Amino acid sequence: MQFLNQDLWFPPVSQANEDGLLAIGGDLSVPRLLLAYQLGIFPWFEGSQPILWWSPDPRFVLFPENLKVSKSMKQVLRNADFTVSINQNFNQVITECSIAKRNGQAGTWITDSMIMAYNELHKAGYAKSVEVWQEGELVGGFYGVDLGNGVFCGESMFAKVSNASKVAFITFIQNTDYQLIDCQVYTNHLERLGAEDISRDVFLEYLK
């Protein structure tokens, strides 16, 4: 296991352990976050932990052409009960993601330091938010990182009303031209939408 200092570097992702944990420490500066995503690495840690950097193998991803939209979701989209926007309120989206209750999780990995760091990444033009509105209220959305290489690295989503996060995700994919959506690690929710495992080596090819 590699311990990072303030120098801007990461060990080769091949050195990650079987769970994908690669390194500990460093910081959440914009330059380090950009380097991490360029190398297929992302931070993921709880508030009581040091910064943990991950590069799992396999990698859970969605190829946009494989997006699965159920009949019920197609009806939800046709009903047009929601309005979808991009980058209208990044801070509120990431904050809502941080406080959303999730099955099997006692706390959140979106700490105050993560919120500050990704807001800076957003100001620098690399982090995006997708918002879903209903009657003028923000009811769902997600955020992630876009390095301009055809890969969108999804980070977290939330929904205050049924289907709101699905509407955000599906609408975003259907109206963008990414080659790949990085979902990082497996979830049932994203598998139902068409996400699948690929090897880390194949994933890294898409980042070039």
Side-chain angles (χ1 to χ4, degrees):
M1 184 59 56
Q2 297 281 352
F3 289 86
L4 304 180
N5 52 28
Q6 295 306 304
D7 295 334
L8 192 58
W9 72 284
F10 285 99
V13 295
S14 60
Q15 294 183 15
N17 68 16
E18 62 180 12
D19 295 322
L21 181 59
L22 176 67
I24 299 173
D27 55 48
L28 295 172
S29 65
V30 168
R32 189 181 297 274
L33 285 171
L34 290 178
L35 178 61
Y37 282 97
Q38 289 164 358
L39 297 174
I41 302 164
F42 58 88
W44 186 24
F45 62 99
E46 296 182 358
S48 59
Q49 297 175 318
I51 301 172
L52 304 178
W53 299 92
W54 303 80
S55 184
D57 187 14
R59 192 81 167 214
F60 201 52
V61 305
L62 174 69
F63 294 96
E65 63 270 22
N66 294 338
L67 176 67
K68 297 177 181 177
V69 184
S70 67
K71 290 182 179 179
S72 60
M73 274 307 303
K74 289 178 181 178
Q75 185 61 50
V76 169
L77 293 165
R78 281 196 296 269
N79 288 343
D81 292 331
F82 300 104
T83 300
V84 179
S85 62
I86 296 178
N87 287 338
Q88 292 302 300
N89 199 327
F90 184 90
N91 185 63
Q92 189 174 356
V93 168
I94 191 172
T95 300
E96 293 289 352
C97 287
S98 75
I99 62 178
K101 293 182 179 179
R102 307 182 194 279
N103 292 334
Q105 292 187 16
T108 180
W109 57 271
I110 308 175
T111 62
D112 288 346
S113 62
M114 289 282 275
I115 291 174
M116 291 176 59
Y118 281 79
N119 265 297
E120 290 302 310
L121 204 59
H122 172 66
K123 292 174 184 177
Y126 296 104
K128 287 183 176 179
S129 62
V130 179
E131 303 88 13
V132 176
W133 309 86
Q134 189 176 57
E135 298 180 353
E137 180 185 355
L138 182 66
V139 295
F142 68 95
Y143 74 96
V145 176
D146 181 355
L147 298 180
N149 57 1
V151 177
F152 183 82
C153 301
E155 284 295 320
S156 186
M157 59 178 61
F158 80 97
K160 290 185 174 181
V161 301
S162 181
N163 295 316
S165 61
K166 289 182 182 178
V167 168
F169 191 71
I170 292 168
T171 301
F172 179 70
I173 291 173
Q174 290 180 336
N175 290 277
T176 53
D177 58 357
Y178 293 100
Q179 291 183 300
L180 191 68
I181 308 297
D182 175 26
C183 305
Q184 298 180 343
V185 294
Y186 174 87
T187 67
N188 288 327
H189 172 67
L190 290 172
E191 183 183 44
R192 288 193 293 269
L193 289 169
E196 62 188 274
D197 279 333
I198 62 173
S199 73
R200 180 170 57 210
D201 287 344
V202 170
F203 173 71
L204 294 177
E205 287 298 315
Y206 281 90
L207 298 180
K208 295 180 178 179

